[in-house]
mmCIF file of all heavy atoms in Angstrom:
data_model
loop_
_atom_site.group_PDB
_atom_site.id
_atom_site.type_symbol
_atom_site.label_atom_id
_atom_site.label_comp_id
_atom_site.label_asym_id
_atom_site.label_seq_id
_atom_site.Cartn_x
_atom_site.Cartn_y
_atom_site.Cartn_z
ATOM 1 N N SER L 44 28.968 -13.671 -34.368
ATOM 2 C CA SER L 44 29.457 -14.657 -33.565
ATOM 3 C C SER L 44 29.092 -15.933 -34.132
ATOM 4 O O SER L 44 28.015 -16.047 -34.922
ATOM 5 C CB SER L 44 28.878 -14.373 -32.099
ATOM 6 O OG SER L 44 27.427 -14.437 -32.227
ATOM 7 N N ALA L 45 29.800 -16.867 -33.716
ATOM 8 C CA ALA L 45 29.585 -18.247 -33.922
ATOM 9 C C ALA L 45 28.102 -18.715 -33.421
ATOM 10 O O ALA L 45 27.784 -18.148 -32.379
ATOM 11 C CB ALA L 45 30.571 -19.266 -33.445
ATOM 12 N N PRO L 46 27.478 -19.667 -34.088
ATOM 13 C CA PRO L 46 26.027 -19.938 -33.516
ATOM 14 C C PRO L 46 26.240 -20.632 -32.208
ATOM 15 O O PRO L 46 27.160 -21.327 -32.005
ATOM 16 C CB PRO L 46 25.604 -20.977 -34.625
ATOM 17 C CG PRO L 46 26.786 -21.301 -35.400
ATOM 18 C CD PRO L 46 27.700 -20.386 -35.357
ATOM 19 N N MET L 47 25.322 -20.229 -31.389
ATOM 20 C CA MET L 47 25.288 -20.983 -30.044
ATOM 21 C C MET L 47 24.136 -21.998 -30.392
ATOM 22 O O MET L 47 23.171 -21.764 -31.042
ATOM 23 C CB MET L 47 24.714 -19.940 -28.947
ATOM 24 C CG MET L 47 24.354 -20.617 -27.671
ATOM 25 S SD MET L 47 23.947 -19.356 -26.436
ATOM 26 C CE MET L 47 25.542 -18.952 -25.936
ATOM 27 N N TYR L 55 26.048 -15.827 -36.782
ATOM 28 C CA TYR L 55 24.922 -14.883 -36.580
ATOM 29 C C TYR L 55 25.490 -13.457 -36.667
ATOM 30 O O TYR L 55 26.634 -13.230 -36.245
ATOM 31 C CB TYR L 55 24.268 -15.206 -35.284
ATOM 32 C CG TYR L 55 23.259 -16.170 -35.286
ATOM 33 C CD1 TYR L 55 23.632 -17.551 -35.250
ATOM 34 C CD2 TYR L 55 21.844 -15.915 -35.403
ATOM 35 C CE1 TYR L 55 22.585 -18.646 -35.207
ATOM 36 C CE2 TYR L 55 20.996 -16.989 -35.417
ATOM 37 C CZ TYR L 55 21.342 -18.243 -35.354
ATOM 38 O OH TYR L 55 20.387 -19.237 -35.400
ATOM 39 N N ASN L 57 24.239 -10.034 -34.588
ATOM 40 C CA ASN L 57 23.332 -9.587 -33.589
ATOM 41 C C ASN L 57 23.467 -8.094 -33.210
ATOM 42 O O ASN L 57 24.564 -7.465 -33.406
ATOM 43 C CB ASN L 57 23.567 -10.397 -32.243
ATOM 44 C CG ASN L 57 23.116 -11.800 -32.288
ATOM 45 O OD1 ASN L 57 24.105 -12.722 -32.607
ATOM 46 N ND2 ASN L 57 21.872 -12.116 -32.127
ATOM 47 N N TRP L 91 16.160 -23.855 -32.387
ATOM 48 C CA TRP L 91 17.636 -23.325 -32.499
ATOM 49 C C TRP L 91 18.148 -23.530 -33.951
ATOM 50 O O TRP L 91 19.287 -23.636 -33.973
ATOM 51 C CB TRP L 91 18.459 -23.946 -31.394
ATOM 52 C CG TRP L 91 18.189 -23.345 -30.004
ATOM 53 C CD1 TRP L 91 17.051 -22.681 -29.644
ATOM 54 C CD2 TRP L 91 18.908 -23.419 -28.860
ATOM 55 N NE1 TRP L 91 17.117 -22.342 -28.373
ATOM 56 C CE2 TRP L 91 18.326 -22.883 -27.874
ATOM 57 C CE3 TRP L 91 20.269 -23.900 -28.637
ATOM 58 C CZ2 TRP L 91 18.809 -22.661 -26.472
ATOM 59 C CZ3 TRP L 91 20.714 -23.802 -27.275
ATOM 60 C CH2 TRP L 91 20.044 -23.153 -26.279
ATOM 61 N N ARG L 94 17.722 -18.563 -38.896
ATOM 62 C CA ARG L 94 16.593 -17.767 -38.950
ATOM 63 C C ARG L 94 16.954 -16.428 -39.617
ATOM 64 O O ARG L 94 18.019 -15.870 -39.594
ATOM 65 C CB ARG L 94 15.894 -17.444 -37.649
ATOM 66 C CG ARG L 94 16.846 -16.672 -36.573
ATOM 67 C CD ARG L 94 17.281 -17.509 -35.306
ATOM 68 N NE ARG L 94 16.761 -18.733 -35.052
ATOM 69 C CZ ARG L 94 15.972 -19.091 -34.038
ATOM 70 N NH1 ARG L 94 15.574 -18.084 -33.278
ATOM 71 N NH2 ARG L 94 15.736 -20.214 -33.759
ATOM 72 N N ASP L 97 15.290 -12.596 -35.765
ATOM 73 C CA ASP L 97 14.815 -12.943 -34.505
ATOM 74 C C ASP L 97 14.700 -11.595 -33.666
ATOM 75 O O ASP L 97 15.679 -10.876 -33.650
ATOM 76 C CB ASP L 97 15.724 -13.833 -33.821
ATOM 77 C CG ASP L 97 15.217 -14.665 -32.676
ATOM 78 O OD1 ASP L 97 13.901 -14.642 -32.522
ATOM 79 O OD2 ASP L 97 15.992 -15.436 -32.030
ATOM 80 N N ARG L 123 24.310 -14.816 -22.353
ATOM 81 C CA ARG L 123 24.745 -14.899 -23.823
ATOM 82 C C ARG L 123 25.622 -13.584 -24.226
ATOM 83 O O ARG L 123 25.078 -12.403 -24.049
ATOM 84 C CB ARG L 123 23.419 -14.795 -24.703
ATOM 85 C CG ARG L 123 22.762 -16.149 -24.671
ATOM 86 C CD ARG L 123 21.564 -16.184 -25.434
ATOM 87 N NE ARG L 123 21.054 -17.561 -25.628
ATOM 88 C CZ ARG L 123 19.993 -17.958 -26.245
ATOM 89 N NH1 ARG L 123 19.219 -16.936 -26.945
ATOM 90 N NH2 ARG L 123 19.702 -19.244 -26.354
ATOM 91 N N PHE L 125 26.359 -12.384 -27.068
ATOM 92 C CA PHE L 125 25.898 -11.702 -28.102
ATOM 93 C C PHE L 125 24.690 -10.815 -27.759
ATOM 94 O O PHE L 125 24.184 -9.968 -28.467
ATOM 95 C CB PHE L 125 25.416 -12.542 -29.437
ATOM 96 C CG PHE L 125 24.405 -13.620 -29.021
ATOM 97 C CD1 PHE L 125 23.172 -13.299 -29.082
ATOM 98 C CD2 PHE L 125 24.835 -14.826 -28.814
ATOM 99 C CE1 PHE L 125 22.160 -14.205 -29.037
ATOM 100 C CE2 PHE L 125 23.816 -15.841 -28.674
ATOM 101 C CZ PHE L 125 22.503 -15.621 -28.666
HETATM 102 N N1 ROI O 201 23.678 -17.934 -31.775
HETATM 103 C C1 ROI O 201 24.161 -16.607 -31.898
HETATM 104 N N2 ROI O 201 25.442 -16.476 -31.988
HETATM 105 N N3 ROI O 201 23.111 -15.613 -32.065
HETATM 106 C C2 ROI O 201 21.884 -15.801 -31.955
HETATM 107 O O1 ROI O 201 21.231 -14.701 -32.167
HETATM 108 C C3 ROI O 201 21.304 -17.006 -31.799
HETATM 109 N N4 ROI O 201 20.170 -17.263 -31.734
HETATM 110 C C4 ROI O 201 19.640 -18.419 -31.547
HETATM 111 C C5 ROI O 201 20.419 -19.683 -31.339
HETATM 112 C C6 ROI O 201 20.013 -20.682 -32.420
HETATM 113 C C7 ROI O 201 20.187 -20.263 -29.942
HETATM 114 N N5 ROI O 201 21.860 -19.360 -31.488
HETATM 115 C C8 ROI O 201 22.374 -18.116 -31.687
HETATM 116 O O2 ROI O 201 18.265 -18.591 -31.445
#
Side-chain angles (χ1 to χ4, degrees):
S44 60
M47 173 173 275
Y55 277 81
N57 289 98
W91 286 15
R94 62 247 355 248
D97 203 6
R123 288 184 168 177
F125 60 83

